[in-house]
Amino acid sequence: MALFGLGGKKGATGAEADGKLAYDPLQAARALPWLIALLGVLGLWCLVAGGLRQRDDSRQSALEFARDDVVVGVRRTLNEHRQKFGARLAAKEFTTPLAAGDAAAAASVLKGWGEVQRAELWPSDLDARYQQLPRSGFGSLATAEDALSTGKMAVRVVRAGGGTRLALAAPVGEGRMVAYVELPLDRLRSSVESPVLPGGTYLALRQGQRSVIERGEVGLAAAAEALGARVPDSELRVAAAAPDSMAAPFGLSGWTALGLGIILLLVSGGLWFVLRPRLLAMGGAGEVEAGPTLSDLQQTLPPVEAVTRAKEREQDAAKPASRVQVVIDHRIFRAYDIRGVVGQSLDAGVAELIGQAIGSVMAEQGLEAIVVGRDGRLSGPTLAQGLIEGLRKAGRHVIDIGMAPTPVVYFGGYHLRTGCGVAITGSHNPPDYNGFKIVIGGETLSGDAIKDLHARIAEDRLLTADTPGNLEERDIGEDYVQRIAGDIQIGQRLKVVVDAGNGVAGVLGPRVLEAIGADVTPLFCDIDGTFPNHHPDPSEPRNLEALVQMVQRLDADLGIAFDGDGDRLGVVTKAGKNIFPDRLLMLFAADVLERNPGAVIVYDVKCTGRLPVQILRYGGSPLMWKTGHSLIKSKMREVDAALAGEMSGHFFFAERWFGFDDGIYAAARLLEILDAREETPDAVFDALPDGVSTAEIKVEAPDGDPHAFVERFRLTATFEGARQTTLDGVRVDWSDGWGLVRASNTTPVLVMRFDAENSAAMARIQQAFRDNLLRLEPDLQLPF
């Protein structure tokens, strides 16, 4: 029913109006209540939902304040313990007997410390402690090993004396001994429990995968890493979680929804009290009196409503079932992939919509089949079921290869000739994370292509096929092993320790290396989605400590580490050195360029400045590009590169392989190179150009927005006598070294790295960055 028309006077017939539409104020006035009711309902919905959302946002903000207070309190407590322990170690009462070789007398000085519950001095070889395992305690040994390896005081929470204590260890006597003490957790517990915690939330002090001290709703523990914050200078972190926030209408913020609700209610009130009386007056007083009374409406509404509902039931019975509405957090659609927290921003319903969106894109490109695989996370089967359902709903043929490393999913796209694949993986993130790495038509989705999937879902541009697609189950693990072993074989029996970090590469990784001729000892290769031993991230040096120890104890030639889904590689030597990926890329480049002179080698902005020099030396064409596995693969196709690599440990071989990032295949190529050399692996790595460099340094971004901070840094930072590159973040090169600050595209952190010819140059470069960073943000916590 139209409210307004054109031409004619009140009461005119169609003929009198010369065939034009008549304008009937009474008709408009009687139809207006439906519009007013609709606006009123929308207004109330926005008002209530916005208020609830604002309440939830306030609760989360209060929780974050409490978390930050705990971080500050725990750090203060740890520093106080360190200072007191350091003062004890520096006191003459301790140093004198220690210098005289009287360890018992020196230990008694430590025992005299009022808070200490255990105090001992051990020889730095720790052999006696290892022989007494497990009685001597794994935690105490780990603390001592940490202190000896870093040469600094180490702090860790350990199980001891039937409970939990705070352990401190420090090398003493010029590194010949290690001093070890245990303290009660009382002061640490007070730091955790003193801030006020909002109702219905959860907070915990954690070390590794274990919660040391917990508060609040423990049912939220699984999702607590999403709001986690690291305690600087320690292995501890504070995890926090709040119940899922109320979804405001149309994806608005709480305050915006509240404002919209008020506006809608004011508009509906204005229509009722201002516009409606004017329309009725224009229609004439007699006609107003002839309108239905409240009594009339009460008598006539029930049968009309009953008829309407009966018709709606008949119409609903004839319609297909409508889709259940699922709220999707746009923040899970990231630069390189889709990633979120299971139970918070990811579940089977979200996975189904993502699958249907992927299937819709495939249909537009005329692609029929797709390979689906998952890593070993506990949420994998549920998300796989939802994703496959969505793909089939879009009419796609799904080949489910089950639990498999991400590179095996990529391999399946070539081996099974689908050109499409989805790896369900959280990569190296904590156990409650998961996500999707997507390939369509041979191209790994990134940037706008990822955002387009979200837009399709939000705008309901999803294909629903007349007939669901088929589902086929295949195991291509042996095909993958044989494909690599058929190309790579080594002559000498290299002894290798493989640490998969309980990730999905724990089965196929060792199988591949054994198939090419290596002697493999597995470490943490049983697949466990809780990652009980360490995070499966070989780019973090602390995650390689157990691997280094095992390589040295077994006198192995090499240690190989994979990340959670097997597309990244880490390497350690018998001497305990972590061979950074940019130095591995030097070896790979030299090997590839022997057969492909002049080939393009792509590397990311975090790689050492000595890498392009090496590539040029061997006749190659070096090309620096942005960080990100999908961005690197896209650039490789654009320039027809033979090889690429990232500082994070992704390696992409287009020569003799398919050009995707594959940590397992890269490990096989590395063993092939080492097998062809007469020197030992340690000697091969020592011969590579080296200097002074840091691993990736991760710093929490101010306000949780690393991109905004890096842009401000780019506009304000000044570096004299240096060349700045803003390809990805801000990289500053001097003749004797360089530094980098960039925004992570996967987490709210700043990523930094420094590389120099010597320690003096390193100190100067880091100081230049420190000055510029702190001038921009004085409270920034810099670990250098």
Side-chain angles (χ1 to χ4, degrees):
M1 179 184 294
L3 293 182
F4 300 98
L6 294 175
K9 296 184 289 184
K10 177 177 68 72
T13 66
E16 291 171 333
D18 295 328
K20 296 181 181 180
L21 294 174
Y23 169 60
D24 188 347
L26 275 179
Q27 187 180 22
R30 289 166 181 167
L32 196 60
W34 296 104
L35 177 60
I36 294 172
L38 176 61
L39 292 176
V41 169
L42 284 175
L44 286 173
W45 179 34
C46 290
L47 201 62
V48 174
L52 293 174
R53 177 57 184 260
Q54 189 56 37
R55 177 207 63 185
D56 294 341
D57 290 346
S58 299
R59 177 172 57 189
Q60 180 164 319
S61 178
L63 175 63
E64 291 174 356
F65 277 116
R67 175 203 63 193
D68 295 342
D69 286 345
V70 171
V71 170
V72 171
V74 169
R75 186 184 188 189
R76 184 188 302 114
T77 300
L78 294 179
N79 286 339
E80 289 175 358
H81 284 316
R82 288 190 184 103
Q83 291 171 3
K84 289 183 180 180
F85 188 33
R88 285 275 169 176
L89 297 180
K92 289 185 178 180
E93 294 86 350
F94 177 80
T95 58
T96 301
L98 181 66
D102 191 350
S108 66
V109 174
L110 297 179
K111 293 177 181 177
W113 181 5
E115 295 178 274
V116 76
Q117 293 178 308
R118 176 186 177 187
E120 297 178 6
L121 281 172
W122 303 327
S124 60
D125 57 23
L126 299 176
D127 284 346
R129 312 304 304 172
Y130 275 104
Q131 292 173 7
Q132 296 173 15
L133 285 174
R135 184 170 54 84
S136 59
F138 290 96
S140 60
L141 265 175
T143 310
E145 288 279 17
D146 190 17
L148 292 170
S149 63
T150 61
K152 302 177 182 178
M153 189 181 301
V155 180
R156 188 184 291 260
V157 176
V158 301
R159 294 185 183 276
T164 306
R165 297 175 181 172
L166 183 67
L168 291 89
V172 294
E174 298 181 351
R176 293 178 290 102
M177 305 284 288
V178 57
Y180 176 83
V181 298
E182 290 177 357
L183 306 173
L185 285 184
D186 296 346
R187 294 186 61 195
L188 211 58
R189 190 179 303 278
S190 176
S191 299
V192 175
E193 295 179 349
S194 57
V196 177
L197 194 63
T201 61
Y202 171 83
L203 186 143
L205 180 67
R206 289 180 174 176
Q207 179 176 274
Q209 301 300 317
R210 185 167 63 91
S211 293
V212 179
I213 303 169
E214 290 183 303
R215 296 178 60 192
E217 300 293 331
V218 294
L220 298 173
E225 290 296 339
L227 292 178
R230 181 173 168 270
V231 179
D233 306 320
S234 77
E235 295 294 321
L236 299 173
R237 64 188 187 283
V238 180
D244 291 342
S245 296
M246 175 73 182
F250 316 118
L252 301 174
S253 67
W255 285 118
T256 305
L258 280 169
L260 179 59
I262 293 172
I263 292 171
L264 289 174
L265 289 176
L266 289 174
V267 170
S268 64
L271 291 175
W272 180 264
F273 292 108
V274 178
L275 181 59
R276 183 173 178 274
R278 290 183 179 179
L279 291 173
L280 291 173
M282 290 170 65
E287 290 175 284
V288 174
E289 293 174 1
T293 65
L294 178 60
S295 176
D296 295 331
L297 289 174
Q298 288 175 334
Q299 293 175 8
T300 59
L301 276 178
V304 172
E305 185 179 14
V307 170
T308 301
R309 289 181 177 176
K311 289 182 178 179
E312 289 175 349
R313 283 195 294 270
E314 291 174 2
Q315 293 171 355
D316 291 341
K319 291 180 180 179
S322 60
R323 181 187 297 116
V324 176
Q325 292 298 315
V326 177
V327 177
I328 293 189
D329 186 348
H330 69 90
R331 292 171 295 183
I332 68 175
F333 295 81
R334 307 195 179 201
Y336 317 137
D337 51 31
I338 299 172
R339 191 179 306 171
V341 178
V342 177
Q344 182 171 324
S345 55
L346 269 186
D347 58 24
V350 172
E352 180 177 336
L353 290 176
I354 291 172
Q356 195 171 358
I358 294 170
S360 301
V361 176
M362 290 175 60
E364 291 177 0
Q365 299 182 19
L367 301 168
E368 294 295 331
I370 184 168
V371 176
V372 172
R374 56 183 169 83
D375 68 12
R377 291 167 188 267
L378 303 183
S379 58
T382 300
L383 294 183
Q385 183 178 357
L387 179 80
I388 291 171
E389 184 64 26
L391 288 165
R392 295 184 64 200
K393 188 176 290 187
R396 300 310 95 190
H397 173 61
V398 179
I399 304 174
D400 182 7
I401 64 171
M403 191 183 298
T406 293
V408 177
V409 177
Y410 296 156
F411 170 78
Y414 291 88
H415 181 66
L416 302 176
R417 302 184 183 279
T418 67
C420 302
V422 179
I424 302 169
T425 175
S427 189
H428 59 281
N429 291 98
D432 51 339
Y433 276 73
N434 216 325
F436 308 88
K437 294 181 178 180
I438 306 161
V439 178
I440 298 178
E443 181 176 355
T444 303
L445 299 197
S446 64
D448 291 339
I450 294 283
K451 293 178 182 177
D452 178 65
L453 295 179
H454 175 257
R456 287 175 179 272
I457 297 170
E459 297 164 12
D460 199 22
R461 292 187 288 112
L462 302 176
L463 170 66
T464 300
D466 295 334
T467 303
N470 297 325
L471 174 61
E472 176 186 359
E473 294 182 356
R474 290 280 296 270
D475 183 358
I476 61 173
E478 187 60 23
D479 297 328
Y480 175 80
V481 173
Q482 293 306 317
R483 173 63 177 78
I484 297 175
D487 181 50
I488 300 174
Q489 286 292 313
I490 61 177
Q492 52 180 311
R493 191 78 170 164
L494 290 171
K495 191 174 183 180
V496 180
V497 179
V498 173
D499 179 359
N502 300 112
V504 73
V507 174
L508 284 181
R511 276 178 62 189
V512 166
L513 300 186
E514 286 174 347
I516 70 171
D519 180 5
V520 179
T521 299
L523 174 67
F524 309 141
C525 283
D526 50 317
I527 301 175
D528 185 339
T530 65
F531 309 121
N533 295 288
H534 61 74
H535 279 327
D537 182 1
S539 69
E540 290 288 347
R542 65 175 178 270
N543 294 330
L544 301 174
E545 293 170 357
L547 178 60
V548 169
Q549 294 176 19
M550 184 63 76
V551 169
Q552 293 176 338
R553 290 188 180 280
L554 296 179
D555 195 30
D557 295 298
L558 204 65
I560 297 291
F562 300 121
D563 69 333
D565 63 334
D567 60 4
R568 293 200 286 150
L569 171 68
V571 175
V572 299
T573 68
K574 186 185 300 186
K577 293 180 66 176
N578 177 8
I579 307 301
F580 289 145
D582 52 0
R583 300 189 71 215
L584 291 175
L585 192 54
M586 294 180 186
L587 275 181
F588 292 143
D591 176 62
V592 168
L593 290 169
E594 282 183 4
R595 296 177 295 277
N596 303 271
V600 177
I601 311 294
V602 180
Y603 61 99
D604 77 325
V605 296
K606 294 185 288 185
C607 289
T608 175
R610 287 175 286 277
L611 174 59
V613 176
Q614 282 293 98
I615 294 172
L616 290 168
R617 175 185 172 190
Y618 286 101
S621 303
L623 176 63
M624 181 190 294
W625 194 239
K626 302 175 183 179
T627 294
H629 66 92
S630 54
L631 303 178
I632 292 287
K633 279 180 275 195
S634 177
K635 195 64 176 178
M636 284 183 72
R637 284 193 301 274
E638 178 185 335
V639 300
D640 195 24
L643 173 70
E646 291 184 275
M647 185 60 195
S648 59
H650 289 270
F651 295 99
F652 314 76
F653 288 86
E655 189 242 16
R656 295 165 53 192
W657 199 235
F658 301 102
F660 54 75
D661 40 336
D662 188 339
I664 299 173
Y665 178 78
R669 288 288 289 260
L670 176 62
L671 296 189
E672 181 186 52
I673 293 170
L674 296 176
D675 174 60
R677 302 293 186 93
E678 295 180 357
E679 313 98 303
T680 65
D682 284 46
V684 171
F685 292 125
D686 289 341
L688 295 173
D690 200 6
V692 181
S693 60
T694 68
E696 292 185 16
I697 300 170
K698 297 177 181 177
V699 177
E700 291 185 20
D703 303 320
D705 190 347
H707 294 278
F709 180 88
V710 170
E711 180 61 16
R712 289 163 53 208
F713 183 78
R714 183 184 69 82
L715 295 172
T716 60
T718 57
F719 298 94
E720 293 185 2
R723 183 182 76 256
Q724 291 191 37
T725 303
T726 56
L727 178 70
D728 184 2
V730 178
R731 173 167 169 154
V732 185
D733 284 80
W734 287 266
S735 60
D736 55 356
W738 57 273
L740 168 73
V741 176
R742 63 177 293 273
S744 170
N745 285 311
T746 56
T747 52
V749 300
L750 302 170
V751 179
M752 307 180 191
R753 192 178 185 230
F754 302 93
D755 185 84
E757 296 294 335
N758 51 57
S759 298
M762 173 67 77
R764 188 191 79 249
I765 292 170
Q766 288 188 327
Q767 185 62 49
F769 270 81
R770 185 186 298 111
D771 292 342
N772 279 282
L773 288 165
L774 294 180
R775 184 166 61 247
L776 184 61
E777 190 67 43
D779 296 329
L780 201 63
Q781 299 298 316
L782 299 176
F784 59 87

